Amino acid sequence: MAGLFITFEGGDGSGKSTQIAMLAERLRALGHDVRSFREPGGVAAGDAGERIRDILLDPVNADLGVRAELLLYEASRAQLTEQHYRPALDAGAIVLCDRYADSSVAYQGYGRAVLPVAEVQELNRIATGGLVPDLTLLLDVDAASGLAQATSAGADRLEAAGREFHERVREGYLEIARAEPGRVKVIGRAPVEQVADEIWSHVQPLLSRIGRE
Ligand code: TYD
């Protein structure tokens, strides 16, 4: 793989999208080819990934079972990985993802607390063909303030899942970070510019790898 695969993770309302936009701008200013994606989702209105996203986030689907939910997230991920992440990485691009496989481990595994985490990891492996990020930035905020931030515009299906669920998601993320400290960097709440600088301190050392593998 010639490019660089960087994923952003964290609870709802952790400020990922702002940081992704800032990082993308910084990288583009250096002349890098940057492609941004978000999960669940696709690349154009009405495509399969965006339609899966609609199903997953619609509060109307409150009775969606844990397995169906997980498989829909994995379907969206499988499609993006095969059609977009891998080709972009092969072309030497920097791929930035707003959520990836760790989201399923944290939300469907630790959060729902029904399926064994190992099963979720196995499905991630199947959906992605084993594509693992070079770097994962975990924006860690306490569940209460993140949720307050996220739901000020009205709660989607996941945001409506309750405080305890979101506490488990946060703990799950921290567990993932403890298990893979080389890949996953935990970034605490701080002013936007400070978070951006911390992110940059993790990204910059990886830039020399691009195009060499
Ligand atoms: P979104 O509106 O994109 O939220 P955010 O800005 O917080 O990323 O909604 C995505 C929701 O889907 C979010 O609540 C997390 C959840 N999710 C999972 O539960 N499992 C997954 O595998 C992914 C990718 C997301």
Side-chain angles (χ1 to χ4, degrees):
M1 232 169 46
L4 206 53
F5 187 29
I6 301 175
T7 61
F8 284 73
E9 297 284 355
D12 298 63
S14 55
K16 290 179 279 88
S17 46
T18 304
Q19 292 299 330
I20 291 170
M22 289 170 80
L23 178 61
E25 199 180 303
R26 211 159 175 171
L27 289 167
R28 285 195 180 108
L30 292 175
H32 292 287
D33 176 5
V34 181
R35 323 256 179 105
S36 301
F37 302 92
R38 71 155 183 204
E39 292 192 10
V43 295
D47 71 11
E50 287 297 311
R51 288 165 74 182
I52 293 172
R53 178 182 175 87
D54 290 343
I55 296 171
L56 281 165
L57 298 188
D58 193 340
V60 157
N61 298 320
D63 66 344
L64 199 58
V66 179
R67 286 180 171 79
E69 175 185 62
L70 172 61
L71 289 167
L72 285 168
Y73 280 114
E74 297 295 357
S76 154
R77 183 165 302 131
Q79 180 70 2
L80 283 168
T81 302
E82 191 180 309
Q83 301 293 321
H84 299 282
Y85 307 161
R86 283 186 186 277
L89 291 167
D90 287 342
I94 299 178
V95 173
L96 304 182
C97 276
D98 188 341
R99 299 190 178 283
Y100 183 61
D102 296 321
S103 277
S104 288
V105 174
Y107 282 77
Q108 281 66 55
Y110 289 99
R112 296 292 183 211
V114 173
L115 302 172
V117 165
E119 278 186 20
V120 180
Q121 289 166 332
E122 177 64 3
L123 280 174
N124 275 333
R125 198 191 55 73
I126 293 167
T128 65
L131 180 66
V132 176
D134 295 294
L135 172 68
T136 296
L137 299 154
L138 170 57
L139 273 46
D140 179 48
V141 301
D142 65 90
S145 60
L147 268 186
Q149 176 87 15
T151 53
S152 52
D156 66 31
R157 197 180 58 84
L158 272 292
E159 286 156 0
R163 170 82 178 267
E164 280 173 17
F165 170 79
H166 288 277
E167 300 282 5
R168 290 195 298 275
V169 169
R170 183 190 186 194
E171 276 312 308
Y173 270 133
L174 294 174
E175 194 62 44
I176 294 168
R178 279 191 285 273
E180 292 180 77
R183 171 176 69 88
V184 184
K185 306 299 175 190
V186 183
I187 299 179
R189 221 209 225 310
V192 171
E193 292 292 340
Q194 197 175 315
V195 171
D197 286 346
E198 202 175 325
I199 287 173
W200 189 246
S201 76
H202 295 297
V203 172
Q204 200 187 18
L206 301 181
L207 297 177
S208 59
R209 281 196 205 169
I210 295 177
R212 292 194 191 161
E213 282 173 47

